[in-house]
Amino acid sequence: MSAVGAVETAREERGGRVSLALSDSWTMTRRELAHWARQPVQVAVGLVFPVMILLMFGYLIGGGREVEGKYIDYLVPGTLALTMAFGLESTMIAVTQDLNKGVIDRFRSMPMANGAVLVGRSVADMLQSAVGLAVMTGVGYAIGWRAHASAGEFLAALGLLMLFRFAMLWIGIQLALVAGKPEMVQAVQILVWPVGFLSNAIATPESMPDWLGTVVEWNPMSRTATAVRELFGGHGAGAGHPWAAVIWPLALLAVFFPLALRRFGALSK
C-alpha cells in the first residue's frame, strides 16, 4: 500500500467517507472563495454583465411582442433564468488551468476524497450565483418589477433558478474536463449563447415561427423561466411547468454529474 493510501485509510478509520468528503469539499470551497479577493475585477464583471443584459433588453431592444401586461414582468424572471446559464466559462477555464498547471495532480496525490476539488469549485460558483441573483433581483425592483408572490413562492422560484444553475454548472465542468485546455473552453462556451437566447427568456414562443417556437418551448431554460414567472405571479406560465423545471435539471445532473466525477477519477490513470 502506498503512503497516500495508508494515510487515506487511516482518515477513513477516524471518520466516515461522507464526512471526509464534505470536509475536503469545504476545504476546496474556501480555496476558491479566497480567489475572489484576489480577482475583484473578474467578480465585478460577472455581476455587472447580466445587469447590462436586463437593462439593454428592457430599455433599448425589448419590444415585448405577444406579452400580456408589462414587458418588465415577463423580462426580469426570464433574465434571471438566463443569468444562471452565463458565467460558466470562468469555472470551466479555472478547471482547465488547474489541469494544465498540475494543481489537480498535486491535489490528487494527497489523501483527499475523489471529486472534492470539483465539488468545492461548484459550491463556490453557486455562492457567487446566489450573489448574482440577489443583485439582479435588486436591479429588477429598482426598474419597476415586482414579485406578486408569497415568501414560500418567492423562495421556491429562487430554488428553481439555483437548481438550473447547478445542472448547467456540471455540464460545464464535464465539458471543461473533456476540452482540457482554456483556449478550447472559449470555443465551447460559445454554445451557451444559442441555448440561452433560443428560449423564452426574452421573447415569447408565440412571437416566433411555429417550428422555432416548438424548439424554444422544449428548451430546459424555457421551462425554468416559465415556472419562475408563475411563482412570481407574472405572465406566460402554464400548468405543470414547475414540475418540468425540476425534472429537466435533475435529468441533466443524473447524466453529467457522474460523468464529470468519472472523468476526473480517470485523470491519474
Side-chain angles (χ1 to χ4, degrees):
M1 180 182 294
S2 65
V4 172
V7 173
E8 193 165 336
T9 301
R11 292 179 74 224
E12 290 180 359
E13 290 176 353
R14 292 195 302 269
R17 288 175 178 260
V18 174
S19 62
L20 290 176
L22 292 175
S23 176
D24 291 341
S25 298
W26 177 240
T27 299
M28 292 298 99
T29 300
R30 288 191 289 111
R31 170 182 176 260
E32 299 307 322
L33 294 178
H35 290 170
W36 289 14
R38 296 194 293 271
Q39 300 173 335
V41 174
Q42 181 177 338
V43 174
V45 169
L47 295 175
V48 170
F49 177 74
V51 173
M52 292 175 58
I53 293 290
L54 173 60
L55 297 179
M56 181 174 64
F57 279 94
Y59 291 103
L60 299 179
I61 301 177
R65 290 188 303 163
E66 307 295 336
V67 174
E68 298 179 1
K70 296 181 179 179
Y71 180 52
I72 197 68
D73 291 336
Y74 184 91
L75 178 64
V76 171
T79 309
L80 292 177
L82 192 64
T83 301
M84 295 296 96
F86 287 157
L88 294 173
E89 63 271 15
S90 60
T91 294
M92 295 169 67
I93 290 174
V95 169
T96 55
Q97 287 176 338
D98 284 350
L99 284 173
N100 286 274
K101 292 178 181 178
V103 174
I104 288 182
D105 288 336
R106 289 197 294 273
F107 282 136
R108 288 188 58 81
S109 68
M110 300 177 182
M112 180 180 295
N114 183 40
V117 176
L118 300 182
V119 173
R121 187 171 290 281
S122 69
V123 172
D125 183 285
M126 293 298 289
L127 291 174
Q128 186 172 1
S129 298
V131 174
L133 271 183
V135 171
M136 287 290 292
T137 302
V139 173
Y141 266 79
I143 63 176
W145 171 74
R146 295 294 182 270
H148 307 286
S150 66
E153 291 170 333
F154 191 92
L155 292 176
L158 296 183
L160 288 179
L161 290 167
M162 294 297 287
L163 177 62
F164 179 68
R165 174 64 177 191
F166 195 58
M168 293 296 295
L169 177 60
W170 280 96
I171 295 175
I173 290 175
Q174 166 65 7
L175 293 176
L177 292 172
V178 172
K181 296 181 179 180
E183 54 269 25
M184 291 298 295
V185 166
Q186 293 175 0
V188 172
Q189 62 94 17
I190 294 176
L191 299 175
V192 173
W193 289 85
V195 173
F197 287 104
L198 196 62
S199 70
N200 66 1
I202 305 298
T204 65
E206 291 77 14
S207 66
M208 307 172 189
D210 291 341
W211 66 270
L212 184 59
T214 300
V215 173
V216 164
E217 288 182 347
W218 277 97
N219 188 332
M221 182 183 296
S222 295
R223 301 290 179 165
T224 296
T226 302
V228 168
R229 290 188 185 104
E230 180 180 4
L231 289 168
F232 282 149
H235 305 283
H241 280 287
W243 288 110
V246 172
I247 292 172
W248 260 116
L250 290 181
L252 293 173
L253 278 171
V255 174
F256 287 96
F257 183 79
L259 281 178
L261 292 184
R262 188 177 299 114
R263 180 83 182 187
F264 180 79
L267 292 177
S268 62
K269 298 179 180 179

